[in-house]
Amino acid sequence: MNALILDTMWFLNSTARRLRLNPALLTHRPPEPARLESLLRQYDPGLKVSDGWFVANGTRVCWVEVTEGVAAKAGIPADRRGAVIASNGNKHAARFVLNALASRIGGALYPPEIQDDYVDVQVNLGPKRGVLDCEEVAGLVRAVLGERTVRHDHELGMCSFEGGPGSVVKASYSWPTSDLMDPEDHVIDLELDAKDLAGHPGLELLYRTAVSLATALNATVTSYDMPVTRLEDIIPTQDRLSA
């Protein structure tokens, strides 16, 4: 009976209510507010604060301390003592922010199905640079990833570099084809898909490729719209809840 009452009265606790209604990153200790704010400012330099929430590119983010009682009301694991909660009418946007934070501060994504099973890294060439020759980019990609076949789709503003059997890192180059497109969409995209990414050997290869391309082209590297300066920035959290 007590358990039933506890389960039906969660809405009276504001923290439990937020955790029940929004996706979150669950941590074993309360998040450090300054660290969270610093990371969110990397994601959105125009970060705002409103009613106790950070607002980053339209997604509301807050951190909370979690007691054992709150964990029970919220239906989350009892050993969690902190959470970063993301709220956005667009569930994909909230998921995007939480996956970005998870790679950098750890913790378990909740519900567990919001954890991405891929790593996506962009080498950002910038809006002022002219379109590069696809074969030039292919040569830089081959220098690290080995032989690649170039597939051109210039009408869409894209070239993909396909590897042979056993190739794990996907690579493509895209650029804006009209003034209506975002000029920031001038990137070399590197992607790795796998179920168990945390210890995947392809992660280091992907990172080395991104650094090599960025060095050769005087470009920057990002993942989830946040700067990548070390391999650890792209390693998915190993703290994962059972589905």
Side-chain angles (χ1 to χ4, degrees):
M1 182 65 177
N2 289 339
L4 178 61
I5 293 174
L6 184 67
D7 189 58
T8 57
M9 298 295 283
W10 58 266
F11 59 87
L12 296 178
N13 182 285
S14 61
T15 300
R17 187 166 62 249
R18 288 177 178 180
L19 287 166
R20 287 260 188 167
L21 298 176
N22 300 286
L25 178 62
L26 306 179
T27 55
H28 287 287
R29 62 185 64 183
E32 298 177 15
R35 169 70 169 152
L36 177 60
E37 180 176 357
S38 174
L39 289 170
L40 289 173
R41 286 197 184 280
Q42 292 179 29
Y43 174 66
D44 178 10
L47 183 73
K48 298 178 177 62
V49 179
S50 176
D51 296 327
W53 293 76
F54 295 113
V55 183
N57 289 333
T59 298
R60 288 158 51 87
V61 180
C62 73
W63 68 274
V64 295
E65 293 188 21
V66 178
T67 64
E68 189 172 343
V70 167
K73 290 183 177 72
I76 65 174
D79 63 343
R80 303 293 162 155
R81 291 295 171 265
V84 177
I85 301 170
S87 177
N88 191 311
N90 182 339
K91 293 182 179 180
H92 295 293
R95 173 178 181 159
F96 187 90
V97 173
L98 291 174
N99 273 275
L101 293 172
S103 293
R104 291 160 173 83
I105 64 176
L109 289 154
Y110 182 82
E113 57 266 25
I114 71 169
Q115 180 158 348
D116 290 334
D117 289 320
Y118 63 86
V119 171
D120 194 12
V121 172
Q122 291 78 42
V123 178
N124 303 280
L125 301 172
K128 295 182 180 180
R129 185 193 299 265
V131 176
L132 301 176
D133 182 271
C134 292
E135 292 298 336
E136 176 189 353
V137 179
L140 296 172
V141 170
R142 291 183 183 116
V144 186
L145 295 180
E147 187 55 41
R148 295 270 159 155
T149 300
V150 184
R151 305 294 183 192
H152 301 276
D153 195 339
H154 290 184
E155 287 189 8
L156 292 179
M158 181 176 181
C159 289
S160 58
F161 311 110
E162 299 179 359
S167 176
V168 294
V169 177
K170 300 176 183 177
S172 63
Y173 168 50
S174 59
W175 60 91
T177 56
S178 77
D179 293 338
L180 299 177
M181 298 177 66
D182 189 340
E184 298 294 338
D185 290 339
H186 189 193
V187 301
I188 300 170
D189 191 77
L190 303 168
E191 187 173 335
L192 174 64
D193 294 326
K195 286 294 183 183
D196 184 16
L197 282 167
H200 199 291
L203 281 171
E204 185 175 355
L205 177 60
L206 186 154
Y207 178 73
R208 285 196 291 109
T209 305
V211 171
S212 176
L213 290 167
T215 301
L217 297 168
N218 191 28
T220 59
V221 182
T222 60
S223 178
Y224 289 105
D225 293 341
M226 295 175 69
V228 171
T229 59
R230 54 183 190 151
L231 174 61
E232 288 76 10
D233 289 338
I234 67 170
I235 297 177
T237 177
Q238 299 182 52
D239 185 358
R240 191 160 189 169
L241 303 176
S242 300

